[in-house]
Amino acid sequence: MGMKVYVVGEGLPYDVRFDVRKILADDTIRLLPDVKLFPIYCPACGRTQSNFFVHLGSRYGQVGELNCDSCGRLISVTDHDNRVDSIRFNQTEFFFPELYKTDWLYLKQLEEQQDISLNAVFEQYEGLHALSMDEARHLIEQAIGMRTSGNQEFITDTRITKLPITVNRWIELLSKCGVKNSYLENLQ
């Protein structure tokens, strides 16, 4: 349980995993994020920490603590003790569907802009609990005949100044597909 500093190349099997589930009310497949790699924000000084962190689990919502590498204040990291779709730094909460642009509203825009059905793209993966963000991005790229470069960086919340490479590439796909959001146009 806890968290550790992410070391590039350490071989994580995924940093953002999607649970692919069909919502019975409207028979639509949803990609529900379970985040294992995230930046940490210090509410005291307003800075993003210099490293990404790997979520190793929590106990009763407690993930871990660290001192800010800018101001030295203690940052307590907590979650909701289940699938990690949000994270709190002290009392400041970040929701990954918005921060990492995985909310179904963005995917609905992608469907409309590209005239495809993501239900058809992901139907065979429903119930599979190991579809990574990179795998989902690749499946969408194949379906629409587009490729991302992975060379762009995005800011989706002004408090978080860097995102993991796989998240940037995911957002690059959304941006190239014409998905609109005020922060998607703000390239770093």
Side-chain angles (χ1 to χ4, degrees):
M1 299 293 155
M3 61 187 184
K4 68 177 184 173
V5 172
Y6 172 70
V7 178
V8 176
E10 74 176 2
L12 285 178
Y14 46 79
D15 50 37
V16 178
R17 178 184 77 180
F18 288 119
D19 290 335
V20 182
R21 299 221 183 120
K22 191 171 281 189
I23 305 300
L24 297 178
D26 61 4
D27 208 36
T28 301
I29 288 179
R30 304 267 198 231
L31 300 177
L32 304 174
D34 186 12
V35 176
K36 299 294 180 207
L37 184 67
F38 56 91
I40 291 184
Y41 168 79
C42 177
C45 69
R47 299 215 173 155
T48 303
Q49 301 304 286
S50 57
N51 294 306
F52 290 111
F53 291 81
V54 179
H55 189 286
L56 300 173
S58 65
R59 186 161 177 85
Y60 304 112
Q62 301 300 312
V63 178
E65 295 179 335
L66 72 145
N67 289 331
C68 175
D69 56 22
S70 284
C71 71
R73 291 245 177 94
L74 186 66
I75 304 170
S76 177
V77 181
T78 58
D79 65 15
H80 290 283
D81 203 28
N82 200 350
R83 189 182 78 245
V84 182
D85 59 359
S86 71
I87 198 96
R88 286 185 300 272
F89 309 118
N90 297 344
Q91 296 305 312
T92 305
E93 188 164 15
F94 290 88
F95 295 92
F96 290 116
E98 187 58 34
L99 186 66
Y100 285 4
K101 302 302 176 201
T102 60
D103 190 280
W104 192 250
L105 295 174
Y106 298 111
L107 297 177
K108 290 304 277 180
Q109 282 186 56
L110 183 146
E111 282 185 317
E112 291 166 7
Q113 293 292 326
Q114 297 300 311
D115 195 30
I116 65 165
S117 166
L118 293 178
N119 263 16
V121 172
F122 294 115
E123 194 163 44
Q124 65 183 327
Y125 297 95
E126 184 192 357
L128 180 69
H129 295 286
L131 188 62
S132 72
M133 180 177 269
D134 269 349
E135 291 167 330
R137 178 194 44 79
H138 182 71
L139 290 169
I140 294 170
E141 286 178 350
Q142 283 183 320
I144 62 176
M146 183 182 292
R147 276 207 51 82
T148 55
S149 67
N151 296 326
Q152 294 181 304
E153 292 182 1
F154 295 86
I155 294 176
T156 59
D157 184 308
T158 55
R159 298 169 294 178
I160 301 289
T161 57
K162 64 180 181 175
L163 296 171
I165 293 168
T166 55
V167 175
N168 278 312
R169 197 156 181 190
W170 172 262
I171 297 169
E172 178 186 353
L173 172 67
L174 296 177
S175 181
K176 280 184 158 185
C177 288
V179 174
K180 298 294 178 204
N181 179 280
S182 60
Y183 286 109
L184 287 183
E185 285 91 36
N186 295 331
L187 295 180
Q188 186 72 322

mmCIF file with all atom_site columns, all heavy atoms in Angstrom, residues 142-157:
data_model
loop_
_atom_site.group_PDB
_atom_site.id
_atom_site.type_symbol
_atom_site.label_atom_id
_atom_site.label_alt_id
_atom_site.label_comp_id
_atom_site.label_asym_id
_atom_site.label_entity_id
_atom_site.label_seq_id
_atom_site.pdbx_PDB_ins_code
_atom_site.Cartn_x
_atom_site.Cartn_y
_atom_site.Cartn_z
_atom_site.occupancy
_atom_site.B_iso_or_equiv
_atom_site.pdbx_formal_charge
_atom_site.auth_seq_id
_atom_site.auth_comp_id
_atom_site.auth_asym_id
_atom_site.auth_atom_id
_atom_site.pdbx_PDB_model_num
ATOM 1   N N   . GLN A 1 142 ? -6.640  3.106  -34.907 1.00 0.00 ? 142 GLN A N   1
ATOM 2   C CA  . GLN A 1 142 ? -6.878  2.130  -35.984 1.00 0.00 ? 142 GLN A CA  1
ATOM 3   C C   . GLN A 1 142 ? -8.262  2.317  -36.601 1.00 0.00 ? 142 GLN A C   1
ATOM 4   O O   . GLN A 1 142 ? -8.419  2.253  -37.819 1.00 0.00 ? 142 GLN A O   1
ATOM 5   C CB  . GLN A 1 142 ? -6.749  0.703  -35.464 1.00 0.00 ? 142 GLN A CB  1
ATOM 6   C CG  . GLN A 1 142 ? -5.326  0.258  -35.268 1.00 0.00 ? 142 GLN A CG  1
ATOM 7   C CD  . GLN A 1 142 ? -5.270  -1.195 -34.810 1.00 0.00 ? 142 GLN A CD  1
ATOM 8   O OE1 . GLN A 1 142 ? -6.066  -1.643 -33.997 1.00 0.00 ? 142 GLN A OE1 1
ATOM 9   N NE2 . GLN A 1 142 ? -4.308  -1.932 -35.352 1.00 0.00 ? 142 GLN A NE2 1
ATOM 10  N N   . ALA A 1 143 ? -9.260  2.544  -35.758 1.00 0.00 ? 143 ALA A N   1
ATOM 11  C CA  . ALA A 1 143 ? -10.640 2.680  -36.235 1.00 0.00 ? 143 ALA A CA  1
ATOM 12  C C   . ALA A 1 143 ? -10.831 3.916  -37.107 1.00 0.00 ? 143 ALA A C   1
ATOM 13  O O   . ALA A 1 143 ? -11.641 3.889  -38.038 1.00 0.00 ? 143 ALA A O   1
ATOM 14  C CB  . ALA A 1 143 ? -11.604 2.712  -35.054 1.00 0.00 ? 143 ALA A CB  1
ATOM 15  N N   . ILE A 1 144 ? -10.087 4.989  -36.820 1.00 0.00 ? 144 ILE A N   1
ATOM 16  C CA  . ILE A 1 144 ? -10.286 6.230  -37.588 1.00 0.00 ? 144 ILE A CA  1
ATOM 17  C C   . ILE A 1 144 ? -9.153  6.502  -38.567 1.00 0.00 ? 144 ILE A C   1
ATOM 18  O O   . ILE A 1 144 ? -9.216  7.473  -39.320 1.00 0.00 ? 144 ILE A O   1
ATOM 19  C CB  . ILE A 1 144 ? -10.482 7.446  -36.655 1.00 0.00 ? 144 ILE A CB  1
ATOM 20  C CG1 . ILE A 1 144 ? -9.253  7.688  -35.776 1.00 0.00 ? 144 ILE A CG1 1
ATOM 21  C CG2 . ILE A 1 144 ? -11.733 7.281  -35.824 1.00 0.00 ? 144 ILE A CG2 1
ATOM 22  C CD1 . ILE A 1 144 ? -9.341  8.910  -34.902 1.00 0.00 ? 144 ILE A CD1 1
ATOM 23  N N   . GLY A 1 145 ? -8.119  5.658  -38.570 1.00 0.00 ? 145 GLY A N   1
ATOM 24  C CA  . GLY A 1 145 ? -7.017  5.838  -39.514 1.00 0.00 ? 145 GLY A CA  1
ATOM 25  C C   . GLY A 1 145 ? -6.160  7.051  -39.221 1.00 0.00 ? 145 GLY A C   1
ATOM 26  O O   . GLY A 1 145 ? -5.755  7.778  -40.132 1.00 0.00 ? 145 GLY A O   1
ATOM 27  N N   . MET A 1 146 ? -5.859  7.274  -37.966 1.00 0.00 ? 146 MET A N   1
ATOM 28  C CA  . MET A 1 146 ? -5.059  8.432  -37.556 1.00 0.00 ? 146 MET A CA  1
ATOM 29  C C   . MET A 1 146 ? -3.944  7.949  -36.645 1.00 0.00 ? 146 MET A C   1
ATOM 30  O O   . MET A 1 146 ? -4.084  6.932  -35.973 1.00 0.00 ? 146 MET A O   1
ATOM 31  C CB  . MET A 1 146 ? -5.956  9.426  -36.811 1.00 0.00 ? 146 MET A CB  1
ATOM 32  C CG  . MET A 1 146 ? -5.264  10.706 -36.398 1.00 0.00 ? 146 MET A CG  1
ATOM 33  S SD  . MET A 1 146 ? -6.372  11.789 -35.474 1.00 0.00 ? 146 MET A SD  1
ATOM 34  C CE  . MET A 1 146 ? -7.522  12.262 -36.742 1.00 0.00 ? 146 MET A CE  1
ATOM 35  N N   . ARG A 1 147 ? -2.835  8.701  -36.604 1.00 0.00 ? 147 ARG A N   1
ATOM 36  C CA  . ARG A 1 147 ? -1.741  8.381  -35.680 1.00 0.00 ? 147 ARG A CA  1
ATOM 37  C C   . ARG A 1 147 ? -1.331  9.624  -34.916 1.00 0.00 ? 147 ARG A C   1
ATOM 38  O O   . ARG A 1 147 ? -1.314  10.713 -35.464 1.00 0.00 ? 147 ARG A O   1
ATOM 39  C CB  . ARG A 1 147 ? -0.525  7.855  -36.441 1.00 0.00 ? 147 ARG A CB  1
ATOM 40  C CG  . ARG A 1 147 ? -0.667  6.400  -36.695 1.00 0.00 ? 147 ARG A CG  1
ATOM 41  C CD  . ARG A 1 147 ? 0.526   5.545  -36.860 1.00 0.00 ? 147 ARG A CD  1
ATOM 42  N NE  . ARG A 1 147 ? 1.650   5.465  -35.998 1.00 0.00 ? 147 ARG A NE  1
ATOM 43  C CZ  . ARG A 1 147 ? 1.725   4.750  -34.887 1.00 0.00 ? 147 ARG A CZ  1
ATOM 44  N NH1 . ARG A 1 147 ? 0.674   4.134  -34.433 1.00 0.00 ? 147 ARG A NH1 1
ATOM 45  N NH2 . ARG A 1 147 ? 2.842   4.651  -34.232 1.00 0.00 ? 147 ARG A NH2 1
ATOM 46  N N   . THR A 1 148 ? -1.002  9.417  -33.675 1.00 0.00 ? 148 THR A N   1
ATOM 47  C CA  . THR A 1 148 ? -0.473  10.506 -32.861 1.00 0.00 ? 148 THR A CA  1
ATOM 48  C C   . THR A 1 148 ? 1.039   10.391 -32.816 1.00 0.00 ? 148 THR A C   1
ATOM 49  O O   . THR A 1 148 ? 1.594   9.314  -33.002 1.00 0.00 ? 148 THR A O   1
ATOM 50  C CB  . THR A 1 148 ? -1.044  10.444 -31.431 1.00 0.00 ? 148 THR A CB  1
ATOM 51  O OG1 . THR A 1 148 ? -0.781  9.139  -30.888 1.00 0.00 ? 148 THR A OG1 1
ATOM 52  C CG2 . THR A 1 148 ? -2.541  10.705 -31.423 1.00 0.00 ? 148 THR A CG2 1
ATOM 53  N N   . SER A 1 149 ? 1.691   11.511 -32.531 1.00 0.00 ? 149 SER A N   1
ATOM 54  C CA  . SER A 1 149 ? 3.155   11.522 -32.498 1.00 0.00 ? 149 SER A CA  1
ATOM 55  C C   . SER A 1 149 ? 3.707   11.284 -31.100 1.00 0.00 ? 149 SER A C   1
ATOM 56  O O   . SER A 1 149 ? 4.794   10.762 -30.944 1.00 0.00 ? 149 SER A O   1
ATOM 57  C CB  . SER A 1 149 ? 3.682   12.861 -33.018 1.00 0.00 ? 149 SER A CB  1
ATOM 58  O OG  . SER A 1 149 ? 3.334   13.908 -32.115 1.00 0.00 ? 149 SER A OG  1
ATOM 59  N N   . GLY A 1 150 ? 2.961   11.709 -30.092 1.00 0.00 ? 150 GLY A N   1
ATOM 60  C CA  . GLY A 1 150 ? 3.457   11.629 -28.723 1.00 0.00 ? 150 GLY A CA  1
ATOM 61  C C   . GLY A 1 150 ? 4.437   12.733 -28.386 1.00 0.00 ? 150 GLY A C   1
ATOM 62  O O   . GLY A 1 150 ? 5.089   12.693 -27.353 1.00 0.00 ? 150 GLY A O   1
ATOM 63  N N   . ASN A 1 151 ? 4.530   13.744 -29.242 1.00 0.00 ? 151 ASN A N   1
ATOM 64  C CA  . ASN A 1 151 ? 5.487   14.835 -29.034 1.00 0.00 ? 151 ASN A CA  1
ATOM 65  C C   . ASN A 1 151 ? 4.861   16.101 -28.470 1.00 0.00 ? 151 ASN A C   1
ATOM 66  O O   . ASN A 1 151 ? 5.540   17.105 -28.359 1.00 0.00 ? 151 ASN A O   1
ATOM 67  C CB  . ASN A 1 151 ? 6.189   15.176 -30.360 1.00 0.00 ? 151 ASN A CB  1
ATOM 68  C CG  . ASN A 1 151 ? 7.019   14.022 -30.864 1.00 0.00 ? 151 ASN A CG  1
ATOM 69  O OD1 . ASN A 1 151 ? 7.588   13.271 -30.088 1.00 0.00 ? 151 ASN A OD1 1
ATOM 70  N ND2 . ASN A 1 151 ? 7.067   13.867 -32.170 1.00 0.00 ? 151 ASN A ND2 1
ATOM 71  N N   . GLN A 1 152 ? 3.595   16.067 -28.126 1.00 0.00 ? 152 GLN A N   1
ATOM 72  C CA  . GLN A 1 152 ? 2.930   17.255 -27.613 1.00 0.00 ? 152 GLN A CA  1
ATOM 73  C C   . GLN A 1 152 ? 2.673   17.110 -26.117 1.00 0.00 ? 152 GLN A C   1
ATOM 74  O O   . GLN A 1 152 ? 2.487   16.004 -25.618 1.00 0.00 ? 152 GLN A O   1
ATOM 75  C CB  . GLN A 1 152 ? 1.613   17.486 -28.340 1.00 0.00 ? 152 GLN A CB  1
ATOM 76  C CG  . GLN A 1 152 ? 1.805   17.829 -29.805 1.00 0.00 ? 152 GLN A CG  1
ATOM 77  C CD  . GLN A 1 152 ? 0.476   18.080 -30.475 1.00 0.00 ? 152 GLN A CD  1
ATOM 78  O OE1 . GLN A 1 152 ? -0.408  17.240 -30.446 1.00 0.00 ? 152 GLN A OE1 1
ATOM 79  N NE2 . GLN A 1 152 ? 0.338   19.247 -31.085 1.00 0.00 ? 152 GLN A NE2 1
ATOM 80  N N   . GLU A 1 153 ? 2.658   18.259 -25.438 1.00 0.00 ? 153 GLU A N   1
ATOM 81  C CA  . GLU A 1 153 ? 2.327   18.286 -24.011 1.00 0.00 ? 153 GLU A CA  1
ATOM 82  C C   . GLU A 1 153 ? 1.139   19.209 -23.812 1.00 0.00 ? 153 GLU A C   1
ATOM 83  O O   . GLU A 1 153 ? 1.055   20.267 -24.431 1.00 0.00 ? 153 GLU A O   1
ATOM 84  C CB  . GLU A 1 153 ? 3.518   18.778 -23.192 1.00 0.00 ? 153 GLU A CB  1
ATOM 85  C CG  . GLU A 1 153 ? 4.675   17.804 -23.190 1.00 0.00 ? 153 GLU A CG  1
ATOM 86  C CD  . GLU A 1 153 ? 5.833   18.275 -22.332 1.00 0.00 ? 153 GLU A CD  1
ATOM 87  O OE1 . GLU A 1 153 ? 5.738   19.347 -21.714 1.00 0.00 ? 153 GLU A OE1 1
ATOM 88  O OE2 . GLU A 1 153 ? 6.832   17.546 -22.289 1.00 0.00 ? 153 GLU A OE2 1
ATOM 89  N N   . PHE A 1 154 ? 0.228   18.798 -22.951 1.00 0.00 ? 154 PHE A N   1
ATOM 90  C CA  . PHE A 1 154 ? -0.999  19.547 -22.706 1.00 0.00 ? 154 PHE A CA  1
ATOM 91  C C   . PHE A 1 154 ? -1.116  19.897 -21.234 1.00 0.00 ? 154 PHE A C   1
ATOM 92  O O   . PHE A 1 154 ? -0.582  19.200 -20.377 1.00 0.00 ? 154 PHE A O   1
ATOM 93  C CB  . PHE A 1 154 ? -2.218  18.720 -23.127 1.00 0.00 ? 154 PHE A CB  1
ATOM 94  C CG  . PHE A 1 154 ? -2.284  18.457 -24.600 1.00 0.00 ? 154 PHE A CG  1
ATOM 95  C CD1 . PHE A 1 154 ? -1.617  17.388 -25.160 1.00 0.00 ? 154 PHE A CD1 1
ATOM 96  C CD2 . PHE A 1 154 ? -3.014  19.294 -25.424 1.00 0.00 ? 154 PHE A CD2 1
ATOM 97  C CE1 . PHE A 1 154 ? -1.673  17.142 -26.516 1.00 0.00 ? 154 PHE A CE1 1
ATOM 98  C CE2 . PHE A 1 154 ? -3.072  19.067 -26.788 1.00 0.00 ? 154 PHE A CE2 1
ATOM 99  C CZ  . PHE A 1 154 ? -2.400  17.987 -27.335 1.00 0.00 ? 154 PHE A CZ  1
ATOM 100 N N   . ILE A 1 155 ? -1.851  20.952 -20.976 1.00 0.00 ? 155 ILE A N   1
ATOM 101 C CA  . ILE A 1 155 ? -2.248  21.311 -19.619 1.00 0.00 ? 155 ILE A CA  1
ATOM 102 C C   . ILE A 1 155 ? -3.764  21.269 -19.587 1.00 0.00 ? 155 ILE A C   1
ATOM 103 O O   . ILE A 1 155 ? -4.419  21.951 -20.369 1.00 0.00 ? 155 ILE A O   1
ATOM 104 C CB  . ILE A 1 155 ? -1.734  22.711 -19.222 1.00 0.00 ? 155 ILE A CB  1
ATOM 105 C CG1 . ILE A 1 155 ? -0.207  22.711 -19.146 1.00 0.00 ? 155 ILE A CG1 1
ATOM 106 C CG2 . ILE A 1 155 ? -2.348  23.145 -17.893 1.00 0.00 ? 155 ILE A CG2 1
ATOM 107 C CD1 . ILE A 1 155 ? 0.391   24.058 -18.856 1.00 0.00 ? 155 ILE A CD1 1
ATOM 108 N N   . THR A 1 156 ? -4.315  20.453 -18.715 1.00 0.00 ? 156 THR A N   1
ATOM 109 C CA  . THR A 1 156 ? -5.770  20.316 -18.623 1.00 0.00 ? 156 THR A CA  1
ATOM 110 C C   . THR A 1 156 ? -6.326  20.983 -17.371 1.00 0.00 ? 156 THR A C   1
ATOM 111 O O   . THR A 1 156 ? -7.523  21.126 -17.226 1.00 0.00 ? 156 THR A O   1
ATOM 112 C CB  . THR A 1 156 ? -6.169  18.832 -18.633 1.00 0.00 ? 156 THR A CB  1
ATOM 113 O OG1 . THR A 1 156 ? -5.535  18.181 -17.530 1.00 0.00 ? 156 THR A OG1 1
ATOM 114 C CG2 . THR A 1 156 ? -5.752  18.170 -19.948 1.00 0.00 ? 156 THR A CG2 1
ATOM 115 N N   . ASP A 1 157 ? -5.444  21.353 -16.471 1.00 0.00 ? 157 ASP A N   1
ATOM 116 C CA  . ASP A 1 157 ? -5.800  22.077 -15.249 1.00 0.00 ? 157 ASP A CA  1
ATOM 117 C C   . ASP A 1 157 ? -4.583  22.939 -14.933 1.00 0.00 ? 157 ASP A C   1
ATOM 118 O O   . ASP A 1 157 ? -3.465  22.406 -14.845 1.00 0.00 ? 157 ASP A O   1
ATOM 119 C CB  . ASP A 1 157 ? -6.086  21.081 -14.114 1.00 0.00 ? 157 ASP A CB  1
ATOM 120 C CG  . ASP A 1 157 ? -6.559  21.751 -12.839 1.00 0.00 ? 157 ASP A CG  1
ATOM 121 O OD1 . ASP A 1 157 ? -5.886  22.696 -12.361 1.00 0.00 ? 157 ASP A OD1 1
ATOM 122 O OD2 . ASP A 1 157 ? -7.597  21.327 -12.300 1.00 0.00 ? 157 ASP A OD2 1
#
